[in-house]
Amino acid sequence: MVFFRGVSALSKLRSRLVQQPSLTSTVRWLQIETSSDLDLHSQLKELIPERQERLKKLKSEHGKVQLGNITVDMVLGGMRGMTGLLWETSLLDPDEGIRFRGLSIPECQKVLPAAKPDGEPLPEGLLWLLLTGKVPTKGQVDALSKELRSRAAVPDHVYKAIDALPVSAHPMTQLTTGVMALQVQSEFQKAYEKGISKSKYWEPTYEDSLSLIAQLPVVAAYVYRRIYKNGRVIPKDDSLDYGANFSNMLGFDSPEMHELMRLYITIHSDHEGGNVSAHTGHLVASALSDPYLSFAAALNGLAGPLHGLANQEVLLWIKSVVDECGENITTEQLKDYVWKTLNSGKVVPGFGHGVLRKTDPRYMCQREFALKHLPKDPLFLLVSKLYEVVPPILTELGKVKNPWPNVDAHSGVLLNYYGLTEARYFTVLFGVSRSIGICSQLIWDRALGLPLERPKSVTTEWLENHCKKSA
């Protein structure tokens, strides 16, 4: 990790970039924040007018430029591959993976401030980057971390709303209930009811978003302790950063687990706008629903087994392999088990991706974490063996465009190693992480005045008639 401490740190970065030409080409645009201003809100007030003018110019000068042709396959395939959303905070490249404001995950690990030398990036630093497009100083990250702690108090009625549910309710149901209960404090809703200029929409949205991001770990930890630890709640610790505090409230005070939580939140925070949770949050917010309503909707999308719930399915499947074949499974046994899964009409969870056509960089950074901290863990060794076995089988199957592992293929094994073994809860961690990306984009949605989303739909009959005419 690199801590930016004035000009000397900037010089070191430039020196390193000279030695790594491939890195130079990808981060040459990088803006290193040198302002002494520690307030994120003030930074945004400076940035927004320029971005508004930039978007206005783009629309007026190039609004009629075509971005591609829509095919019947796209319409029938869930709009896959259609370019139809503006999402400023991140971009997913099929070959390179996710980039946060232009930075790859390895680059973020190098340049974002960390809690300790050579540690994982602090999620607060990524929040600053997503909102401003600039790499923050350690001082700015510390100030933002302090602000989030000051916003983290959760009203009693939120806990009462969650307690009204059966303890057996899925953790994501309980989390979403908590978010909906938080909604009564929405500053955006209050401002809209009083009457507020459209140009100012982003400011109460900012207030709601930062409060939601701050309160979410507290609510999520309460859900965990309620379900799995007999309701024995651990209060937040104002001496800890965002990721470490969340880990601590869950009941895990190991420094390595704190590091894992920082990494987990950072890499799960955003994945451009087309995935279900991000798109849902954006869509609902386009109706001027406040951030709480919008994010609750996003969480409900994340809870689906084809999206965020997949991370619990991976660990359960891996444990089923161990239960049937033992920890010392041979390569041939593992191949047989994979084929058994596929032949039963099921998928191998954690492999494949709707956009990526290579191994997910989020998988790779988790693998590197495991190699550093738990290289001999039996489940990690099994995940490594799956990395060798599954892609060739899926390639042989001939139906999979991307046979490589995605982010979900690894996260559960890491969490399990440090004692967070309750797979049903994993998607809640994903939800806490995703608040950073969705809320960051929502602030920019408001700042740029993006309109109500309303794509055109057609019937099967319309498509059939159109295709006949085209023929």
Side-chain angles (χ1 to χ4, degrees):
M1 294 300 152
V2 176
F3 289 85
F4 284 91
R5 295 189 177 95
V7 177
S8 62
L10 180 56
S11 300
K12 291 178 182 177
L13 175 62
R14 285 174 175 160
S15 168
R16 204 165 54 246
L17 293 182
V18 169
Q19 299 168 10
Q20 301 179 51
S22 60
L23 185 59
T24 306
S25 63
T26 55
V27 299
R28 56 175 173 268
W29 66 275
L30 188 61
Q31 303 177 66
I32 306 301
E33 180 57 69
T34 57
S35 168
S36 60
D37 192 349
L38 301 181
D39 181 52
L40 181 57
H41 187 272
S42 299
Q43 294 281 318
L44 281 174
K45 288 192 79 169
E46 292 180 13
L47 288 169
I48 284 172
E50 182 273 329
R51 285 284 180 162
Q52 289 172 330
E53 286 302 310
R54 182 175 168 186
L55 193 65
K56 184 179 178 181
K57 180 180 179 182
L58 183 65
K59 185 175 181 179
S60 64
E61 295 182 2
H62 306 290
K64 304 302 180 184
V65 173
Q66 293 188 357
L67 295 176
N69 297 317
I70 304 301
T71 65
V72 173
D73 277 343
M74 291 176 173
V75 174
L76 299 179
M79 298 193 289
R80 194 173 299 276
M82 288 185 186
T83 300
L85 285 172
L86 181 63
W87 196 266
E88 298 282 9
T89 51
S90 64
L91 183 68
L92 180 58
D93 183 273
D95 297 313
E96 293 187 350
I98 191 66
R99 285 186 175 274
F100 303 117
R101 290 288 188 171
L103 295 180
S104 68
I105 287 175
E107 289 162 0
C108 285
Q109 289 178 293
K110 286 183 174 69
V111 303
L112 287 178
K116 63 179 185 178
D118 298 319
E120 300 299 340
L122 290 161
E124 299 94 315
L126 186 72
L127 174 59
W128 189 291
L129 174 67
L130 293 182
L131 277 171
T132 68
K134 300 177 182 180
V135 172
T137 64
K138 184 63 163 58
Q140 287 169 327
V141 170
D142 288 343
L144 179 55
S145 186
K146 182 178 179 180
E147 179 178 0
L148 291 174
R149 287 195 295 270
S150 74
R151 293 172 177 263
V154 173
D156 286 342
H157 74 265
V158 175
Y159 301 124
K160 291 177 181 177
I162 296 171
D163 288 342
L165 294 170
V167 175
S168 59
H170 194 281
M172 285 296 284
T173 303
Q174 299 191 41
L175 178 66
T176 306
T177 300
V179 172
M180 289 299 295
L182 285 170
Q183 190 273 339
V184 299
Q185 69 186 12
S186 172
E187 294 298 327
F188 181 84
Q189 184 188 49
K190 294 172 187 174
Y192 189 83
E193 289 176 351
K194 290 178 181 178
I196 182 176
S197 169
K198 289 182 179 180
S199 64
K200 299 291 185 181
Y201 280 173
W202 75 269
E203 297 201 46
T205 300
Y206 173 91
E207 294 300 321
D208 282 357
S209 295
L210 259 66
S211 294
L212 174 57
I213 291 169
Q215 293 169 316
L216 206 56
V218 181
V219 175
Y222 182 82
V223 170
Y224 179 79
R225 302 294 298 184
R226 177 177 186 251
I227 298 173
Y228 302 110
K229 304 298 177 182
N230 298 315
R232 295 190 297 272
V233 175
I234 299 173
K236 65 185 178 71
D237 184 341
D238 286 339
S239 69
L240 296 175
D241 59 82
Y242 190 85
N245 208 357
F246 185 27
S247 175
N248 197 63
M249 287 187 291
L250 291 171
F252 305 97
D253 57 6
S254 157
E256 283 188 16
M257 182 59 168
H258 288 183
E259 278 289 272
L260 175 60
M261 193 60 70
R262 292 171 186 132
L263 176 65
Y264 185 102
I265 293 173
T266 297
I267 66 175
H268 286 80
S269 63
D270 206 31
H271 214 231
E272 77 170 24
N275 65 77
V276 171
S277 57
H279 187 195
T280 301
H282 172 82
L283 171 63
V284 174
S286 78
L288 293 186
S289 297
D290 63 60
Y292 298 95
L293 295 174
S294 304
F295 188 67
L299 285 176
N300 288 327
L302 190 68
L306 295 183
H307 191 18
L309 202 70
N311 58 9
Q312 88 172 29
E313 301 302 313
V314 171
L315 185 62
L316 295 175
W317 184 82
I318 288 175
K319 287 187 173 181
S320 75
V321 176
V322 174
D323 289 343
E324 183 166 324
C325 306
E327 289 184 348
N328 297 318
I329 185 171
T330 66
T331 299
E332 290 306 313
Q333 285 177 309
L334 189 55
K335 287 180 180 179
D336 290 342
Y337 195 89
V338 170
W339 276 115
K340 176 183 174 181
T341 299
L342 294 171
N343 290 333
S344 69
K346 300 176 182 178
V347 299
V348 179
F351 285 78
H353 193 274
V355 178
L356 282 170
R357 295 297 174 260
K358 62 172 285 185
T359 300
D360 193 333
R362 298 173 299 174
Y363 172 94
M364 292 307 298
C365 70
Q366 290 181 98
R367 176 174 171 78
E368 289 167 7
F369 185 95
L371 287 169
K372 180 179 180 181
H373 296 290
L374 47 136
K376 296 181 180 180
D377 175 61
L379 290 186
F380 167 59
L381 295 176
L382 178 54
V383 166
S384 298
K385 194 170 288 187
L386 284 168
Y387 189 23
E388 299 173 9
V389 167
V390 175
I393 291 176
L394 294 180
T395 301
E396 182 182 339
L397 204 60
K399 299 178 181 179
V400 180
K401 293 182 179 179
N402 174 22
W404 305 107
N406 58 48
V407 64
D408 297 320
H410 217 308
S411 57
V413 168
L414 296 177
L415 295 166
N416 185 81
Y417 177 81
Y418 289 107
L420 210 171
T421 58
E422 298 87 359
R424 284 183 93 226
Y425 185 80
F426 289 172
T427 312
V428 171
L429 303 177
F430 202 154
V432 172
S433 309
R434 193 48 61 93
S435 69
I436 291 177
I438 291 176
C439 288
S440 294
Q441 179 59 40
L442 177 50
I443 293 168
W444 277 104
D445 287 350
R446 296 281 197 265
L448 298 175
L450 298 189
L452 177 70
E453 186 176 309
R454 179 58 171 87
K456 172 64 177 170
S457 63
V458 295
T459 64
T460 302
E461 183 181 16
W462 187 96
L463 282 175
E464 290 171 341
N465 290 335
H466 180 78
C467 292
K468 288 176 183 177
K469 292 177 183 177
S470 298

